[in-house]
Amino acid sequence: MNLYSLFQSRFPADGAKVFLQHARGTTSFGEVEEISGRYAAVLKASGVAKGDRVLVQTPKSPEAVLLYLACLRVGAVFVPLNTAYTISEVAYFVADAEPRVIVTAPEAEASFATRFKSQTCEILTLGARGDGSLIARAKEAKSDASVAPCERDDLAAIVYTSGTTGRSKGAMLTHANLASNALVLHEYWAWEPGDVLLHALPIFHVHGLFVALHCALLNGSSVIFHDRFDTAQIIRDLPGASVMMGVPTFYTRLLEEPRFERRTCRNVRLFISGSAPLLPETFAAFEARTGHRILERYGMTEAGMIASNPYRGERVAGSVGFALPGVSVRVVDAQGAERPRGEVGMLEVAGPNVFAGYWRMPEKTAEAFRPDGYLITGDMAVIAEDGRISIVGRAKDLVISGGLNVYPKEVEDCINAIPGVLESAVIGLPHPDYGEAVTAVIVPQHDAPIDATMIQSRLAGKLAKFKQPKKIFFVSELPRNAMGKVQKNVLRKKYADAYARPHNA
Ligand code: MLC
Ligand code: AMP
């Protein structure tokens, strides 16, 4: 079944019910049907057929949500990109995904047209205010009421995740992957009629796009739709919401604000956190301030949501709860042998939520799976006797900053290419706002006149801002083990307090 048909089957009978409530007005469920049908007609007129990729790098807007739904309706493969990516980064995704249509912001149209003129694809635009050529054409189009029939394995989206090798991989997610995960979460988190979701996450990642929006769509719920996370606006709108989802940074930022209090949360029944570890201190401080125990869940792009603390049972700080219904997990040793309960090992997962592999990378797909079909997550975990899971570390060299993944290898490659740099190591260090902050430790070539400002300016055009190091340290050599491997744990220890707040702050 097409995922859109599943949503459609749950839309409220009253088409006037508001789906998105946003700064420029509202979008009703009736308008979702009508306008996504118009966008679908525009996409088809641009030559998009089932299976074609539509690559989208636009600011967050209600229209961008409808564009996603339009892609589902056509059976096209939605390829969302972080708005922070530079055009050099986008060029990689365009070459890899070979989209039939690219949708970008109006202000980026000229540079996209120049850069991608050799591609056989059409460029449409969609701006933050609902402007752009997509919208202009949609106004002239007749809404296409059809929904492409889909098989289980048909792709709904390709979501790029960076890799430990520094090259991004496109995770292929099927209609069945997304539908199964959405249905399970909707049930597990006990969505109720009348629930209102406060949405401040970006919509280019699984958290904001799939986890949050799919639950609301399945519930026929209204969504208070913010274009970004802004603490003051959240405090203003939270009293009208019953569910909020966020990365841990959302919760630490709210706690920084004295105006955020129990009264602000008077109508909320559920706060959910994920995408990065929620510190037990944040969990405790949030409960003390609001009376709410944040429900932490765990997932990854390749598998959607994997585990969650229970809605009614005990929510334990530092634990991500239990494998979701229909999802199997196990912890294994370095050889892949299953470890007993209570022991640390690599977490592996299987189930209908697990993706169909990496786009055009069969060897990377093979490396990601065990022969029996379990996906190797790269996360280290313990499963207790009762099945409760705690994520205790990462085997993959990855930094998660404010819920955004940064692969050190990609940043190191860029730094090492700068003249005057001998080598570098990029690490994540504890940060009070972002959880972890990207940090570079650089060995200059002998007497090379390089400094942090010069390195930052060289990285600016190449890497998205969130991947750029927040601090840079220079050393004469990197610590290595007997095998010659850089000991990042030694560096993490040495610079552990680099972002610590002064005690009297
Ligand atoms: C923005 N900046 C960041 C950053 N976000 N730097 C490091 N880490 C981040 N996450 C940059 C900005 O470009 C800006 O640069 C400067 O840092 C300060 O910006 P800010 O005002 O702090 O940024 P803000 O816009 O407030 O964004 C912070 C944030 C945002 C945490 C609200 O990054 C965010 O919404 N994160 C959520 C990411 C997410 O959805 N992850 C889910 C992935 S799915 P300048 O130019 O000002 O110097 C997944 C699976 C799962 O992981 O389990 O869910
Ligand atoms: P992504 O590749 O962006 O989907 O990020 C997935 C990764 O985020 C996982 O493999 C984990 O390392 C991390 N992650 C997500 N949720 C949690 C959580 N609740 N606790 C710890 N790590 C998490």
Side-chain angles (χ1 to χ4, degrees):
M1 195 203 245
N2 188 309
L3 179 61
Y4 184 82
S5 307
L6 174 64
F7 297 145
Q8 222 174 14
S9 71
R10 306 287 191 96
F11 284 172
D14 177 9
K17 179 168 178 191
V18 171
F19 172 46
L20 300 174
Q21 186 184 319
H22 49 92
R24 285 183 280 115
T26 58
T27 308
S28 67
F29 279 94
E31 286 167 325
V32 168
E33 290 269 56
E34 151 73 16
I35 301 172
S36 68
R38 286 174 184 263
Y39 293 180
V42 174
L43 292 174
K44 284 183 181 173
S46 299
V48 175
K50 198 172 155 189
D52 284 342
R53 275 78 58 209
V54 176
L55 186 134
V56 177
Q57 190 192 34
T58 62
K60 185 177 175 184
S61 70
E63 291 79 6
V65 174
L66 301 184
L67 173 60
Y68 163 57
L69 296 175
C71 287
L72 291 179
R73 293 182 76 154
V74 174
V77 184
F78 189 70
V79 188
L81 292 187
N82 190 326
T83 45
Y85 289 154
T86 62
I87 192 146
S88 332
E89 289 169 307
V90 173
Y92 170 85
F93 301 115
V94 170
D96 192 60
E98 294 188 311
R100 183 74 202 83
V101 161
I102 299 177
V103 189
T104 185
E107 52 276 19
E109 186 178 16
S111 56
F112 270 55
T114 312
R115 183 87 182 220
F116 305 124
K117 62 175 180 290
S118 60
Q119 296 281 326
T120 49
C121 65
E122 185 154 356
I123 297 175
L124 297 173
T125 61
L126 172 57
R129 293 176 306 280
D131 49 331
S133 61
L134 170 72
I135 307 303
R137 288 194 203 178
K139 282 193 179 127
E140 305 299 315
K142 184 171 174 302
S143 185
D144 183 336
S146 65
V147 179
C150 283
E151 304 294 328
R152 287 189 64 77
D153 295 339
D154 283 336
L155 298 188
I158 295 177
V159 182
Y160 278 93
T161 73
S162 300
T164 39
T165 53
R167 227 180 120 206
S168 286
K169 300 169 286 185
M172 300 190 288
L173 296 159
T174 65
H175 283 255
N177 288 148
L178 299 180
S180 72
N181 214 226
L183 288 165
V184 164
L185 294 176
H186 180 256
E187 183 82 22
Y188 204 76
W189 293 337
W191 279 75
E192 296 169 2
D195 265 336
V196 175
L197 173 74
L198 182 51
H199 191 298
L201 287 157
I203 52 169
F204 44 71
H205 279 312
V206 304
H207 195 164
L209 183 63
F210 301 148
V211 183
L213 285 177
H214 288 181
C215 282
L217 283 160
L218 280 183
N219 205 54
S221 267
S222 297
V223 178
I224 304 171
F225 194 74
H226 289 185
D227 56 10
R228 61 184 289 277
F229 180 87
D230 176 276
T231 314
Q233 287 181 20
I234 295 288
I235 292 173
R236 185 196 66 201
D237 287 350
L238 206 45
S242 63
V243 180
M244 189 178 108
M245 299 187 195
V247 295
T249 300
F250 285 17
Y251 296 109
T252 49
R253 286 190 181 181
L254 282 170
L255 287 168
E256 290 279 305
E257 179 51 67
R259 284 183 306 134
F260 176 66
E261 52 191 1
R262 196 173 276 256
R263 223 160 36 90
T264 325
C265 315
R266 58 188 175 275
N267 292 317
V268 179
R269 68 168 181 87
L270 183 58
F271 286 101
I272 302 175
S273 175
S275 306
L278 180 74
L279 295 180
E281 303 90 88
T282 311
F283 179 92
F286 201 87
E287 183 174 17
R289 177 87 67 91
T290 66
H292 280 274
R293 292 169 76 80
I294 300 173
L295 183 154
E296 185 173 10
R297 58 57 175 180
Y298 157 79
M300 65 190 292
T301 301
E302 289 88 338
M305 296 304 101
I306 297 167
S308 170
N309 272 280
Y311 179 66
R312 288 197 179 80
E314 185 70 0
R315 300 177 197 166
V316 176
S319 156
V320 295
F322 302 92
L324 288 164
V327 177
S328 308
V329 291
R330 67 186 182 199
V331 157
V332 302
D333 65 17
Q335 284 68 45
E338 190 160 355
R339 304 211 68 176
R341 293 273 161 126
E343 290 190 20
V344 174
M346 171 75 77
L347 189 70
E348 299 186 344
V349 56
N353 52 317
V354 175
F355 78 144
Y358 294 112
W359 172 254
R360 292 181 179 165
M361 286 188 180
E363 65 304 333
K364 293 278 173 216
T365 303
E367 281 169 23
F369 286 96
R370 297 283 178 196
D372 63 357
Y374 274 74
L375 171 72
I376 304 166
T377 64
D379 293 308
M380 304 302 289
V382 184
I383 306 181
E385 278 305 331
D386 62 355
R388 183 176 277 285
I389 305 164
S390 300
I391 306 295
V392 296
R394 277 174 226 142
K396 49 193 173 191
D397 191 13
L398 162 71
V399 180
I400 306 184
S401 169
L404 293 174
N405 290 8
V406 181
Y407 278 86
K409 178 77 168 67
E410 185 186 2
V411 185
E412 288 161 4
D413 285 350
C414 284
I415 294 176
N416 296 347
I418 299 173
V421 173
L422 185 64
E423 60 172 347
S424 64
V426 168
I427 51 174
L429 295 176
H431 187 280
D433 184 34
Y434 294 121
E436 290 173 15
V438 176
T439 309
V441 183
I442 297 178
V443 181
Q445 274 164 1
H446 184 61
D447 282 345
I450 57 173
D451 60 20
T453 314
M454 175 264 199
I455 299 286
Q456 296 286 22
S457 68
R458 291 297 189 101
L459 295 179
K462 295 210 170 69
L463 287 176
K465 184 82 194 185
F466 69 89
K467 298 180 190 169
Q468 295 171 29
K470 299 276 183 225
K471 280 193 180 166
I472 297 176
F473 297 99
F474 292 93
V475 294
S476 54
E477 62 180 341
L478 295 173
R480 291 182 188 276
N481 65 14
M483 314 284 287
K485 195 170 181 295
V486 175
Q487 291 171 302
K488 291 198 168 179
N489 52 337
V490 172
L491 292 174
R492 280 191 284 266
K493 212 162 158 193
K494 179 172 173 189
Y495 297 109
D497 295 331
Y499 301 93
R501 289 202 171 114
H503 286 305
N504 56 0

